[in-house]
Amino acid sequence: MALVIPLGFGIGFLWAWARLSRYRALSWPVLVLTEFLRGVPPLVLVIFAATFGATLLRGVVDNPNQAALLVAAGALALHSAAYQAEILRAGFQSVPRGQLEAAQALGMTPGRTMAHVILPQALRLSLPPLGNEFATVIKDTALLGTVGATELFSMGQDFLGQSDVLGRVVWALAVWVIIAAVYFAITFAVTRGLRLVERRLQVPGLEGATS
Amino acid sequence: MIRLQGVHKWFGALHVLRGVSLEVRKGEVVVLLGPSGSGKSTLLRCVNLLVHPDAGEVFVDGVRVNRREVRPEWVREQIGMVFQSFNLFSHLTALENVTVGLTKVKRVAREAARRKGVAMLERVGLAAKLDAYPAQLSGGQQQRVAIARALAMDPKAVLFDEPTSALDPEFIKEVLDVITELAREGMTMVVVTHEMGFARNVARRVLFMDEGQILEEGPPEEFFASPRHPRAQAFVSKILG
């Protein structure tokens, strides 16, 4: 979880930027990749990645289970990156072209224009849908349990698997409620955090309908 | 100061500039006139390379700038530009709009940039609006912030692309006054405008463009009184009639 979100965001950001490039060689491969990743169930991606993970990281990570897990987490990050790239692309495109021209006319390089003009404005609009995506990813990390990660969901399954039949019925409810509560707490903390950032990025005169 | 030599530009199949040459001397105010679609804005953008000419040469201060070895950012740092639709950065205050070029492009220290930004906004009569965001300003105020933003970079010349065309009539004068004042102070300027009064009073030279070519040029009194080219005659009679 701690790996998937920042990695997904970083890659998503670069992809969104690449998508808007006037160079086809940059924008086109990203388009294909995004479409592919959005069209494949994340569970399939995770299992597929885990299967090849050990081979892929041979020599880098010794423990094959760990390697499989890392690659699977990476795959999940890529999956999320595809969604985040599209969210950010919408944000980037919301910045009026004239402002980009003005930034250029001041002598800003494309990188500075992105950092000082596009990104601050794009984020303001992208944060609510990004919050959605983060909430989804947090719960998608449960999929990593299928390839051996000790994440919350599989801990619950293990615990229930150990108890007898009567115990399962009694405990099941409690365990799943607790797990749901923990997932909720994490997700809520993240989305509240995003709300704070959103407030900080608000511009007087541009608050829109909500305020 | 600025010299263009045989500049051509195509947008796809559209031949927008057909061999334009012009020279603007230091301290000179040149007004570009012509019907819409005649290539005025494109020509202006060729000077600071917002548009790269497909053929021809652009010189700024004697340096040939439209070649691979010259970074376009370096050229744009030296030439200010003011746009029809202001194009202020909407997430920054008036003061931040004026200082962002100083701090992020010229690497001026924060405090020095702030002092300069305040001075520039005072110069355009907006000392009271330092912390206002663009959305809280009138069109005329926004355009004056945009002028201050261009001036803060200490440009060798400023390009104006129809600076009053998007303004409500009551704000046009305050913007023209600022530009006129700038001209008096000796700023080199190229102005695309439909404000004939301004052209008459402030321009040293008027260039008339149509279909990607400069068809006529001369002092404004002469141009408005007796245009020679038939299309210039048609244009003048239309706007003055």
Side-chain angles (χ1 to χ4, degrees), chain A residues 40-96:
Chain A
V40 176
L43 180 61
V44 174
L45 272 181
V46 163
I47 292 175
F48 190 78
T51 313
F52 294 101
T55 335
L56 211 65
L57 288 184
R58 189 160 44 205
V60 187
V61 179
D62 293 333
N63 183 338
N65 288 332
Q66 230 170 41
L69 182 62
L70 263 175
V71 175
L76 208 53
L78 285 182
H79 177 79
S80 174
Y83 282 88
Q84 296 188 47
E86 288 297 283
I87 293 171
L88 286 170
R89 187 166 69 92
F92 291 172
Q93 284 176 333
S94 74
V95 180

Coordinates of all heavy atoms in Angstrom, one line a residue, chain A residues 40-96:
Chain A
V40 N -7.5 -4.8 -18.3 CA -7.2 -6.1 -17.7 C -7.5 -6.1 -16.3 O -7.2 -5.1 -15.6 CB -5.7 -6.4 -17.9 CG1 -5.3 -7.7 -17.2 CG2 -5.3 -6.4 -19.4
P41 N -8.2 -7.1 -15.8 CA -8.5 -7.2 -14.3 C -7.3 -7.1 -13.5 O -6.3 -7.8 -13.8 CB -9.3 -8.5 -14.2 CG -9.6 -9.0 -15.5 CD -8.6 -8.3 -16.5
P42 N -7.3 -6.3 -12.4 CA -6.1 -6.2 -11.6 C -5.6 -7.5 -11.0 O -4.4 -7.8 -10.9 CB -6.5 -5.2 -10.5 CG -7.9 -5.0 -10.6 CD -8.3 -5.4 -12.0
L43 N -6.6 -8.4 -10.7 CA -6.2 -9.7 -10.2 C -5.4 -10.5 -11.1 O -4.4 -11.1 -10.8 CB -7.5 -10.5 -9.8 CG -7.3 -11.9 -9.2 CD1 -6.5 -11.8 -7.9 CD2 -8.6 -12.6 -9.0
V44 N -5.7 -10.5 -12.4 CA -5.0 -11.2 -13.4 C -3.6 -10.6 -13.5 O -2.6 -11.3 -13.6 CB -5.7 -11.1 -14.8 CG1 -4.8 -11.7 -15.9 CG2 -7.0 -11.7 -14.8
L45 N -3.5 -9.2 -13.5 CA -2.2 -8.6 -13.5 C -1.3 -9.0 -12.4 O -0.1 -9.4 -12.6 CB -2.4 -7.1 -13.4 CG -2.6 -6.3 -14.7 CD1 -2.7 -4.8 -14.4 CD2 -1.4 -6.5 -15.7
V46 N -1.9 -9.0 -11.2 CA -1.1 -9.4 -10.0 C -0.6 -10.8 -10.1 O 0.6 -11.1 -9.8 CB -2.0 -9.2 -8.7 CG1 -1.4 -9.9 -7.5 CG2 -2.2 -7.7 -8.4
I47 N -1.5 -11.8 -10.4 CA -1.1 -13.2 -10.5 C 0.0 -13.4 -11.6 O 1.0 -14.0 -11.4 CB -2.3 -14.1 -10.7 CG1 -3.2 -14.0 -9.5 CG2 -1.9 -15.5 -11.1 CD1 -4.5 -14.8 -9.7
F48 N -0.3 -12.7 -12.7 CA 0.7 -12.8 -13.8 C 2.1 -12.3 -13.4 O 3.1 -12.9 -13.6 CB 0.1 -12.0 -15.0 CG 0.8 -12.2 -16.3 CD1 0.6 -13.3 -17.1 CD2 1.7 -11.2 -16.7 CE1 1.3 -13.5 -18.3 CE2 2.4 -11.4 -17.9 CZ 2.2 -12.5 -18.7
A49 N 2.0 -11.1 -12.8 CA 3.3 -10.5 -12.4 C 4.0 -11.3 -11.4 O 5.3 -11.5 -11.4 CB 3.1 -9.1 -11.8
A50 N 3.3 -11.9 -10.4 CA 3.9 -12.7 -9.4 C 4.5 -14.0 -10.0 O 5.6 -14.4 -9.5 CB 2.8 -13.1 -8.3
T51 N 3.9 -14.5 -11.0 CA 4.4 -15.7 -11.6 C 5.8 -15.5 -12.2 O 6.7 -16.3 -12.1 CB 3.4 -16.2 -12.7 OG1 2.1 -16.1 -12.2 CG2 3.8 -17.6 -13.2
F52 N 6.0 -14.3 -12.8 CA 7.2 -14.0 -13.4 C 8.2 -13.2 -12.5 O 9.3 -13.0 -12.9 CB 7.0 -13.3 -14.7 CG 6.3 -14.2 -15.7 CD1 4.9 -14.0 -16.0 CD2 7.0 -15.2 -16.4 CE1 4.3 -14.8 -16.9 CE2 6.3 -16.0 -17.3 CZ 5.0 -15.8 -17.6
G53 N 7.7 -12.8 -11.4 CA 8.5 -11.9 -10.5 C 9.8 -12.5 -10.1 O 10.8 -11.8 -10.2
A54 N 9.8 -13.8 -9.7 CA 11.0 -14.4 -9.2 C 12.1 -14.4 -10.2 O 13.3 -14.1 -10.0 CB 10.7 -15.8 -8.6
T55 N 11.7 -14.8 -11.5 CA 12.6 -14.8 -12.6 C 13.1 -13.4 -12.9 O 14.3 -13.2 -13.1 CB 11.9 -15.4 -13.8 OG1 10.8 -16.2 -13.4 CG2 12.9 -16.2 -14.7
L56 N 12.2 -12.5 -12.9 CA 12.5 -11.1 -13.3 C 13.6 -10.5 -12.4 O 14.5 -9.8 -12.8 CB 11.2 -10.3 -13.3 CG 11.2 -9.1 -14.3 CD1 11.2 -9.7 -15.7 CD2 9.9 -8.3 -14.0
L57 N 13.5 -10.8 -11.1 CA 14.3 -10.1 -10.1 C 15.4 -11.1 -9.6 O 16.0 -10.8 -8.6 CB 13.5 -9.6 -8.9 CG 12.6 -8.4 -9.2 CD1 11.9 -8.0 -7.9 CD2 13.4 -7.3 -9.8
R58 N 15.7 -12.1 -10.4 CA 16.7 -13.1 -9.9 C 18.1 -12.3 -9.8 O 18.5 -11.6 -10.7 CB 16.9 -14.2 -10.9 CG 17.8 -15.3 -10.3 CD 17.6 -16.6 -10.9 NE 17.5 -16.5 -12.4 CZ 16.9 -17.5 -13.1 NH1 16.3 -18.5 -12.6 NH2 16.8 -17.3 -14.4
G59 N 18.7 -12.5 -8.7 CA 20.0 -11.8 -8.5 C 19.8 -10.5 -7.8 O 20.7 -10.0 -7.2
V60 N 18.6 -9.9 -7.9 CA 18.4 -8.6 -7.2 C 17.8 -8.8 -5.8 O 18.3 -8.3 -4.8 CB 17.5 -7.7 -8.0 CG1 17.4 -6.3 -7.4 CG2 18.0 -7.6 -9.5
V61 N 16.7 -9.6 -5.8 CA 16.1 -10.0 -4.6 C 16.2 -11.5 -4.4 O 15.8 -12.3 -5.3 CB 14.6 -9.6 -4.6 CG1 13.9 -10.0 -3.3 CG2 14.4 -8.1 -4.8
D62 N 16.8 -11.9 -3.3 CA 17.2 -13.4 -3.1 C 15.9 -14.2 -2.9 O 15.7 -15.2 -3.5 CB 18.1 -13.5 -1.9 CG 19.5 -12.9 -2.2 OD1 19.8 -12.8 -3.5 OD2 20.2 -12.4 -1.3
N63 N 15.1 -13.8 -2.0 CA 13.9 -14.5 -1.6 C 12.9 -14.5 -2.8 O 12.4 -13.4 -3.1 CB 13.3 -13.9 -0.4 CG 12.1 -14.7 0.1 OD1 11.4 -15.4 -0.7 ND2 11.8 -14.6 1.4
P64 N 12.6 -15.6 -3.4 CA 11.7 -15.6 -4.6 C 10.3 -15.2 -4.2 O 9.6 -14.5 -5.1 CB 11.7 -17.1 -5.0 CG 12.3 -17.9 -3.9 CD 13.1 -17.0 -3.1
N65 N 9.8 -15.5 -3.0 CA 8.5 -15.0 -2.6 C 8.4 -13.5 -2.5 O 7.4 -12.8 -3.0 CB 8.1 -15.6 -1.3 CG 7.8 -17.1 -1.4 OD1 7.4 -17.5 -2.5 ND2 8.0 -17.8 -0.4
Q66 N 9.5 -12.9 -2.0 CA 9.5 -11.5 -1.9 C 9.6 -10.8 -3.3 O 8.9 -9.8 -3.5 CB 10.8 -11.1 -1.1 CG 10.5 -10.2 0.0 CD 11.8 -10.0 0.9 OE1 12.9 -9.9 0.4 NE2 11.6 -10.0 2.2
A67 N 10.4 -11.5 -4.1 CA 10.5 -10.9 -5.5 C 9.1 -10.9 -6.2 O 8.7 -10.0 -6.8 CB 11.5 -11.8 -6.3
A68 N 8.4 -12.1 -6.0 CA 7.1 -12.2 -6.6 C 6.2 -11.1 -6.1 O 5.5 -10.4 -6.9 CB 6.5 -13.5 -6.4
L69 N 6.2 -10.9 -4.8 CA 5.4 -9.9 -4.2 C 5.7 -8.5 -4.7 O 4.8 -7.7 -5.1 CB 5.5 -9.9 -2.7 CG 4.6 -9.0 -1.9 CD1 3.2 -9.3 -2.2 CD2 4.9 -9.1 -0.4
L70 N 7.0 -8.2 -4.8 CA 7.4 -6.8 -5.3 C 6.9 -6.6 -6.7 O 6.4 -5.5 -7.0 CB 9.0 -6.8 -5.2 CG 9.6 -6.1 -4.0 CD1 11.1 -6.2 -4.1 CD2 9.1 -4.6 -3.9
V71 N 7.1 -7.5 -7.5 CA 6.7 -7.4 -8.9 C 5.2 -7.2 -9.0 O 4.6 -6.4 -9.7 CB 7.2 -8.5 -9.8 CG1 6.7 -8.4 -11.2 CG2 8.7 -8.5 -9.8
A72 N 4.5 -8.0 -8.2 CA 3.0 -7.9 -8.2 C 2.6 -6.5 -7.7 O 1.6 -5.9 -8.3 CB 2.4 -9.0 -7.2
A73 N 3.2 -6.0 -6.7 CA 2.9 -4.7 -6.2 C 3.2 -3.6 -7.3 O 2.4 -2.7 -7.5 CB 3.7 -4.3 -4.9
G74 N 4.3 -3.8 -8.0 CA 4.6 -3.0 -9.1 C 3.5 -3.0 -10.2 O 3.2 -2.0 -10.7
A75 N 3.0 -4.2 -10.4 CA 2.0 -4.3 -11.5 C 0.7 -3.6 -11.0 O 0.1 -2.9 -11.8 CB 1.7 -5.8 -11.7
L76 N 0.4 -3.7 -9.7 CA -0.7 -3.0 -9.2 C -0.5 -1.4 -9.4 O -1.5 -0.7 -9.7 CB -0.9 -3.3 -7.8 CG -2.4 -3.3 -7.2 CD1 -3.3 -4.1 -8.1 CD2 -2.4 -3.8 -5.8
A77 N 0.7 -1.0 -9.1 CA 1.0 0.4 -9.2 C 0.8 0.8 -10.7 O 0.3 1.9 -11.0 CB 2.5 0.7 -8.8
L78 N 1.3 0.0 -11.6 CA 1.1 0.4 -13.0 C -0.4 0.4 -13.4 O -0.8 1.3 -14.1 CB 1.8 -0.7 -13.9 CG 3.3 -0.7 -14.0 CD1 3.8 -1.7 -14.9 CD2 3.8 0.7 -14.5
H79 N -1.1 -0.5 -12.9 CA -2.6 -0.5 -13.1 C -3.2 0.8 -12.7 O -3.9 1.5 -13.4 CB -3.2 -1.7 -12.4 CG -4.7 -1.7 -12.5 ND1 -5.3 -2.2 -13.7 CD2 -5.7 -1.4 -11.7 CE1 -6.6 -2.1 -13.5 NE2 -6.9 -1.6 -12.3
S80 N -2.8 1.2 -11.4 CA -3.3 2.4 -10.9 C -2.8 3.7 -11.7 O -3.5 4.6 -11.9 CB -3.0 2.6 -9.4 OG -3.3 3.8 -8.9
A81 N -1.5 3.6 -12.1 CA -0.9 4.7 -12.8 C -1.7 5.0 -14.1 O -1.9 6.1 -14.5 CB 0.5 4.3 -13.2
A82 N -2.3 3.9 -14.7 CA -3.1 4.1 -16.0 C -4.3 5.0 -15.7 O -4.6 5.9 -16.4 CB -3.5 2.8 -16.5
Y83 N -4.9 4.7 -14.5 CA -6.1 5.5 -14.2 C -5.7 6.9 -13.8 O -6.3 7.9 -14.2 CB -6.8 4.8 -13.0 CG -7.7 3.7 -13.4 CD1 -7.1 2.4 -13.5 CD2 -9.0 3.8 -13.8 CE1 -7.9 1.3 -13.9 CE2 -9.8 2.8 -14.2 CZ -9.2 1.5 -14.3 OH -10.0 0.5 -14.7
Q84 N -4.6 7.0 -13.0 CA -4.2 8.3 -12.5 C -3.7 9.2 -13.7 O -3.9 10.4 -13.6 CB -3.1 8.2 -11.4 CG -3.6 7.5 -10.2 CD -2.6 7.5 -9.1 OE1 -2.0 8.6 -8.8 NE2 -2.4 6.4 -8.5
A85 N -3.1 8.6 -14.7 CA -2.6 9.3 -15.8 C -3.8 10.0 -16.5 O -3.7 11.2 -16.9 CB -1.9 8.4 -16.8
E86 N -4.9 9.3 -16.6 CA -6.1 9.9 -17.3 C -6.7 11.0 -16.4 O -7.1 12.0 -16.9 CB -7.1 8.8 -17.6 CG -6.7 7.9 -18.7 CD -6.6 8.6 -20.0 OE1 -7.6 8.9 -20.7 OE2 -5.4 8.9 -20.4
I87 N -6.7 10.8 -15.1 CA -7.2 11.9 -14.2 C -6.3 13.1 -14.3 O -6.9 14.2 -14.5 CB -7.2 11.4 -12.7 CG1 -8.2 10.2 -12.6 CG2 -7.5 12.5 -11.8 CD1 -8.1 9.5 -11.2
L88 N -5.0 12.9 -14.3 CA -4.1 14.1 -14.4 C -4.2 14.7 -15.8 O -4.1 16.0 -15.9 CB -2.7 13.7 -14.0 CG -2.5 13.4 -12.6 CD1 -1.1 12.7 -12.3 CD2 -2.5 14.7 -11.8
R89 N -4.4 13.9 -16.8 CA -4.4 14.5 -18.1 C -5.6 15.4 -18.2 O -5.5 16.5 -18.8 CB -4.6 13.4 -19.2 CG -4.5 13.8 -20.6 CD -4.3 12.6 -21.5 NE -5.5 11.8 -21.6 CZ -6.5 12.0 -22.5 NH1 -6.4 12.9 -23.4 NH2 -7.5 11.2 -22.5
A90 N -6.7 15.0 -17.6 CA -7.9 15.9 -17.6 C -7.5 17.2 -16.9 O -7.9 18.3 -17.3 CB -9.1 15.3 -16.9
G91 N -6.8 17.1 -15.8 CA -6.4 18.3 -15.0 C -5.5 19.2 -15.9 O -5.6 20.4 -15.9
F92 N -4.5 18.6 -16.5 CA -3.5 19.3 -17.3 C -4.3 20.1 -18.4 O -4.0 21.2 -18.7 CB -2.5 18.4 -18.0 CG -1.5 17.8 -17.1 CD1 -0.7 16.8 -17.5 CD2 -1.5 18.2 -15.7 CE1 0.2 16.2 -16.6 CE2 -0.6 17.6 -14.8 CZ 0.3 16.6 -15.3
Q93 N -5.2 19.4 -19.0 CA -5.9 20.0 -20.2 C -6.9 21.1 -19.7 O -7.3 21.9 -20.6 CB -6.7 18.9 -21.0 CG -5.7 18.1 -21.8 CD -6.4 17.0 -22.6 OE1 -7.4 16.5 -22.1 NE2 -5.8 16.6 -23.7
S94 N -7.2 21.2 -18.4 CA -8.1 22.2 -18.0 C -7.4 23.6 -17.9 O -8.0 24.6 -17.7 CB -8.6 21.8 -16.6 OG -7.6 22.0 -15.6
V95 N -6.0 23.6 -17.9 CA -5.3 24.8 -17.8 C -5.4 25.5 -19.2 O -5.0 24.9 -20.2 CB -3.8 24.6 -17.4 CG1 -3.1 25.9 -17.3 CG2 -3.8 23.9 -16.0
P96 N -5.9 26.7 -19.2 CA -6.1 27.4 -20.5 C -4.8 27.5 -21.3 O -3.7 27.8 -20.7 CB -6.6 28.8 -20.1 CG -7.2 28.7 -18.8 CD -6.4 27.6 -18.1

